[in-house]
């Protein structure tokens, strides 16, 4: 299938994959730091942003297949990979399949177990219900630090300092994503992420110390699944390092992929 994407910058290609309910604009805080040394390929996942939904079940495997098809069609089979949340899980899956080069997965999904799975499902289901109810009021709510904090405390360690334009765009994207509920059910019911001891390039796992959605304890399981991976902890950071610590996130990405690599 065809996925909507944007390209900007110059250098080796770097494919950037967003998380559940987001779209390619979630990466805006990193663009100025990355575009000078990389060609950035920003992609909307199926059913997100301007990409059409997949037919049938919204499984991680189906999304990975769609993303692998996009990579092949765009000549990106040796591109470096960056992903956040579900996008982090998807770039790890591409790496496990031998697709891509170096890989940075920020708070990736698929390493939960037991009550953590129920927490993921029900907390996100409750959050999206509230976000949809408040959809007409997103612009006003995003302008105030108190309401930004109330709405995004699950995802950010410091939501009061986030730019209002980023917050309103993210809330509107969450509310407008037609596949959110179906994909959330598949995430909660489906298999965990498989790992590999051998991948095409380096693997870096980035995790926020204050991630209240995919709890920091899950990082240890990700390391077991990908034993060669380097684990980087983001301090004063929630589920989205590219929101809470954008400068540090950009540095981590460039250190992993090699800013001056040929």
């Amino acid at each position: 299938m065809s996925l909507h994407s944007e390209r900007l910058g110059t250098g080796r290609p770097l494919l950037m994959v967003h998380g559940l309910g987001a779209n390619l604009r979630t990466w805006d805080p990193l663009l100025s730091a990355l575009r000078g040394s990389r060609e950035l390929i920003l992609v909307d996942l199926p059913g997100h942003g301007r990409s059409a939904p997949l037919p049938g079940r919204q499984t991680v495997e189906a999304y990975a297949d769609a993303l692998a098809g996009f990579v092949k069609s765009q000549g990106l089979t040796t591109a470096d990979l960056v992903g956040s949340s579900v996008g982090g899980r998807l770039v790890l899956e591409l790496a496990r399949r031998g697709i891509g080069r170096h890989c940075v997965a920020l708070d990736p999904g698929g390493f939960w177990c037991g009550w953590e799975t129920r927490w993921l499902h029900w907390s996100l289901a409750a959050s999206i219900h509230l976000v949809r109810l408040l959809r007409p009021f997103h612009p006003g709510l995003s302008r105030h630090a108190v309401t930004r904090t109330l709405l995004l405390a699950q995802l950010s360690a410091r939501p009061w300092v986030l730019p209002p334009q980023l917050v309103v765009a993210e809330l509107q994207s969450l509310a407008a994503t037609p596949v959110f509920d179906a994909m959330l059910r598949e995430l909660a019911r489906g298999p965990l992420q498989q790992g590999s001891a051998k991948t095409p390039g380096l693997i870096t796992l980035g995790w926020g110390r204050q991630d209240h959605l995919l709890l920091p304890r899950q990082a240890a399981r990700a390391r077991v699944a990908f034993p060669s991976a380097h684990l980087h902890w983001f301090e004063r950071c929630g589920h989205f390092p590219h929101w809470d610590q954008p400068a540090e996130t950009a540095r981590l990405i460039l250190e992993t992929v090699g800013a001056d690599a040929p």
Side-chain angles (χ1 to χ4, degrees):
M1 68 173 298
S2 176
L3 298 179
H4 172 252
S5 63
E6 295 180 9
R7 291 184 181 232
L8 63 155
T10 57
R12 275 191 57 86
L14 176 63
L15 177 65
M16 307 185 74
V17 185
H18 63 77
L20 176 60
N23 60 51
L24 56 79
R25 291 273 68 84
T26 196
W27 298 113
D28 283 355
L30 301 184
L31 300 186
S32 61
L34 298 178
R35 63 189 299 173
S37 59
R38 282 289 179 269
E39 181 186 17
L40 308 179
I41 299 93
L42 315 176
V43 62
D44 282 334
L45 289 172
H48 294 69
R50 295 169 60 184
S51 292
L54 290 172
R57 293 173 56 187
Q58 306 298 303
T59 64
V60 170
E61 182 178 9
Y63 275 61
D65 289 344
L67 199 55
F70 172 81
V71 165
K72 183 177 180 180
S73 70
Q74 298 295 310
L76 299 172
T77 53
T78 59
D80 296 310
L81 311 171
V82 177
S84 168
S85 192
V86 168
R89 179 174 183 177
L90 288 169
V91 296
L92 287 175
E93 174 60 18
L94 292 185
R96 189 189 71 82
R97 296 183 183 189
I99 298 171
R101 186 172 171 259
H102 302 318
C103 175
V104 179
L106 303 171
D107 295 71
F111 301 104
W112 45 70
C113 69
W115 66 267
E116 298 166 0
T117 310
R118 296 187 294 276
W119 167 251
L120 168 81
H121 188 188
W122 294 113
S123 65
L124 275 184
S127 295
I128 195 63
H129 179 68
L130 178 62
V131 166
R132 288 168 179 158
L133 285 176
L134 296 175
R135 189 173 185 178
F137 310 104
H138 287 169
L141 294 171
S142 300
R143 286 196 292 268
H144 303 285
V146 172
T147 46
R148 287 201 299 274
T149 299
L150 292 173
L151 286 170
L152 293 178
Q154 186 181 23
L155 301 176
S156 170
R158 299 184 296 161
W160 56 90
V161 303
L162 296 177
Q165 63 272 23
L166 174 68
V167 173
V168 69
E170 195 74 15
L171 292 174
Q172 290 176 343
S173 180
L174 287 166
T177 300
V179 298
F180 189 101
D181 301 286
M183 191 174 189
L184 179 58
R185 286 194 299 271
E186 295 290 349
L187 287 170
R189 299 172 183 174
L192 300 179
Q193 176 59 43
Q194 297 181 57
S196 174
K198 186 177 180 181
T199 55
L202 302 175
I203 300 286
T204 294
L205 304 168
W207 225 287
R209 289 279 192 190
Q210 287 78 46
D211 190 339
H212 300 309
L213 182 63
L214 302 183
L215 305 180
R217 70 178 71 189
Q218 296 174 23
R221 299 176 200 139
R223 283 289 309 278
V224 171
F226 293 90
S228 65
H230 167 69
L231 175 60
H232 177 87
W233 290 107
F234 290 94
E235 306 296 337
R236 301 181 66 202
C237 182
H239 185 57
F240 292 137
H242 56 289
W243 286 8
D244 288 345
Q245 301 291 352
E248 184 180 353
T249 303
R251 285 196 303 271
L252 181 68
I253 291 170
L254 292 177
E255 287 170 2
T256 300
V257 304
D260 299 317

